[in-house]
Amino acid sequence: MYRKLFHSVLIMGVSGSKSTSKFSGGVAAQCLGDESLMSKKAHGTCEAPVQKNLRWNCDEKTADNICCFNRHYAEHSGYFKSTSFLTEEGDQSGEITFYDSVSGKPLFIAPRNRSFKDFVKESQAHGWPSFRDSEVVTENVRILPNGETVSVDGTHLGHNLPDHSGNRYCINLVSVAGRPIEETNK
C-alpha cells in the first residue's frame, strides 16, 4: 500500500501538481533510479575507493566515507569554501565538468544558463555546490525516490532539494572532485 501511495505521489509531482515528492519533474523525473544502485559492492556502495589526488585539494578520507559508506550525511556546510575550488575556478573557467570521485564519469557541467558568480552565490547560500537540471549529465546521475542523488555506479552525491526555481541538486564537492577517466587511466 505504501509503495503504491508513494508511486502516486511521484507521478503527481511529475505532472506538475503540488506534492510531497522529492523532485519537481524535469530531469529528476527522467533520471529516477532505485535502491539496487546502492547495493553492497566491493567497497561499500562503490566498486573501488575514491581516486587518489582529487581535484581542488578535497580530502580523500572524507570523500571515501561520504561517497562509498554513507547514505544520509554530508561534508560540513561550506566545506567547498575550504578547498581550492573558489581560487582555481572562476568566470575564466567557462563550463566546469564535475567528475565522479570514484569512477571518473562526468556528472554535472556548470555553470549552464547562469554565470559562475550566480552558481557560487546559490552554492554559498545553501552551503553545498548546487546544480540545476540543465547542469546534470543524465546518463550518469540517478535520483532515488527519497531524493538521494547518486551516480549510476553507486557513489553517493547528495540530495535533490527542489525549491521555487525547480530541482536543486545539493551535492558534496568531495563526491564530484574526481578526474576524468582518461586521466585516471594514465
Side-chain angles (χ1 to χ4, degrees):
M1 165 96 175
Y2 175 75
R3 177 173 233 138
K4 272 186 172 177
L5 176 64
F6 190 71
H7 180 71
S8 297
V9 169
L10 288 176
I11 298 304
M12 286 172 33
V14 171
S15 67
S17 63
K18 296 199 185 253
S19 75
T20 58
S21 68
K22 296 289 183 181
F23 62 88
S24 60
V27 167
Q30 299 166 23
C31 293
L32 278 179
D34 63 49
E35 281 295 318
S36 66
L37 290 166
M38 302 305 284
S39 63
K40 183 152 177 51
K41 298 178 185 77
H43 190 76
T45 61
C46 305
E47 288 297 340
V50 297
Q51 300 171 0
K52 303 285 184 199
N53 193 25
L54 293 172
R55 293 161 69 195
W56 308 301
N57 297 312
C58 286
D59 181 71
E60 185 181 323
K61 183 178 178 191
T62 300
D64 200 52
N65 284 332
I66 289 173
C67 292
C68 303
F69 296 98
N70 164 61
R71 298 290 305 280
H72 306 288
Y73 300 102
E75 64 199 18
H76 66 80
S77 177
Y79 173 84
F80 75 98
K81 294 188 287 186
S82 71
T83 70
S84 61
F85 177 75
L86 293 174
T87 56
E88 287 184 38
E89 307 295 352
D91 287 327
Q92 78 286 353
S93 303
E95 291 185 343
I96 304 159
T97 302
F98 295 80
Y99 297 94
D100 187 317
S101 291
V102 177
S103 73
K105 290 180 181 175
L107 300 172
F108 299 93
I109 301 172
R112 278 198 172 154
N113 303 323
R114 58 181 169 166
S115 68
F116 182 78
K117 181 180 177 181
D118 289 341
F119 170 73
V120 170
K121 181 179 179 183
E122 180 174 40
S123 297
Q124 288 177 329
H126 296 290
W128 290 267
S130 295
F131 300 92
R132 294 295 177 168
D133 279 350
S134 64
E135 299 167 327
V136 177
V137 178
T138 57
E139 57 268 21
N140 297 328
V141 175
R142 294 293 175 266
I143 317 307
L144 303 187
N146 67 355
E148 183 180 6
T149 303
V150 303
S151 78
V152 294
D153 297 312
T155 304
H156 172 81
L157 305 175
H159 288 84
N160 179 23
L161 303 170
D163 62 15
H164 64 281
S165 297
N167 291 310
R168 181 176 60 82
Y169 306 92
C170 190
I171 303 299
N172 296 292
L173 185 65
V174 297
S175 299
V176 295
R179 298 189 181 276
I181 295 168
E182 43 292 347
E183 277 189 39
T184 59
N185 290 335
K186 288 181 181 177

